[in-house]
Amino acid sequence: MSPRRDRAARQDRWDWRDRRETAGGELDPVRDALLRAARADAEAALAQAAREAEELLAAARDECAALVERARRQGQADGAAAARERRAAALRAARGLELAAEAEAYAELRARVRERVRRATADRTARARLRRHALALLGPRAATAPGPEGGLTMVAPGRRVDLTPDTLSDRALERFGAEAEALWTP
C-alpha cells in the first residue's frame, strides 16, 4: 500500500472513533436495539435451522427404516425363492436317484428272469414243447431255426415266432407290467 493510502485509511479509522466518542451515549439505545434485533434474528435463524435439521434427520431416519424394512422383506422373498429352488432341485435329485434305483432293480430282475428262462429252455424236453407250440401257431410248413442262446425261432410265409429265452423273458415281464414296480416299491 502506498504511504498516502495508508495515511488516509488511518485517518478514516480515527474519524470513525472520534464520531463514536463525540456522539456519546446518544446512539447507545439504537445500537442496543440493533444488537438485540440482530441477536433475536440470529436466535430465530438458529432455532429454525435446528428445527429444519431435526426434520431432515427425522425424515432420513424414517427413510432409512423404510429402506431397511424393504431390504428385509426382499431378503426374505429372495431367501424363500432360493429355498424353493433348492427344495425343487433336491426333489429332482431324489427322484433321479429313485428312478436310477428302480432301473437298476428292473435290470437285475430282467437279468435273473432271462437266466432262469435260459436254463429252463436248455433241455430237450423244453425245446420240444416250444417247437410244438410254434408249429401250432404257424402250421407244419414252418421252418425252424435254433435261437442264439437257446430256444428257437420259426418262420412261415408272412409270419414269424420268436421263442428265444430273452424274448420269452421280456414278454413275461411286459405282461407283469406295473405289478413289477411292487417288487421295489415299499
Side-chain angles (χ1 to χ4, degrees), residues 14-31:
W14 287 112
D15 288 345
W16 177 77
R17 284 185 188 156
D18 288 342
R19 277 186 243 137
R20 194 178 70 191
E21 288 172 2
T22 57
E26 296 171 12
L27 294 178
D28 283 347
V30 173
R31 182 177 53 94

Side-chain angles (χ1 to χ4, degrees), residues 57-78:
L57 284 173
R61 284 186 198 109
D62 291 346
E63 186 176 342
C64 182
L67 286 171
V68 167
E69 179 60 23
R70 198 174 323 134
R72 184 190 63 75
R73 283 193 308 261
Q74 185 63 44
Q76 284 178 336
D78 291 348

Side-chain angles (χ1 to χ4, degrees), residues 13 46 61 63 69 72 154 161 167:
R13 273 187 268 155
L46 285 173
R61 284 186 198 109
E63 186 176 342
E69 179 60 23
R72 184 190 63 75
M154 293 189 87
V161 173
T167 302

Side-chain angles (χ1 to χ4, degrees), residues 92-134:
R92 283 190 302 271
R95 182 64 179 147
L97 291 172
E98 182 181 343
L99 290 173
E102 287 177 8
E104 186 178 327
Y106 183 80
E108 185 174 333
L109 172 66
R110 185 176 182 217
R112 285 183 181 184
V113 168
R114 281 182 166 191
E115 182 57 36
R116 288 196 178 157
V117 171
R118 276 188 200 107
R119 277 190 257 136
T121 58
D123 70 356
R124 265 179 201 230
T125 309
R127 280 194 303 265
R129 273 188 303 200
L130 290 174
R131 185 167 170 31
R132 280 193 303 272
H133 180 68

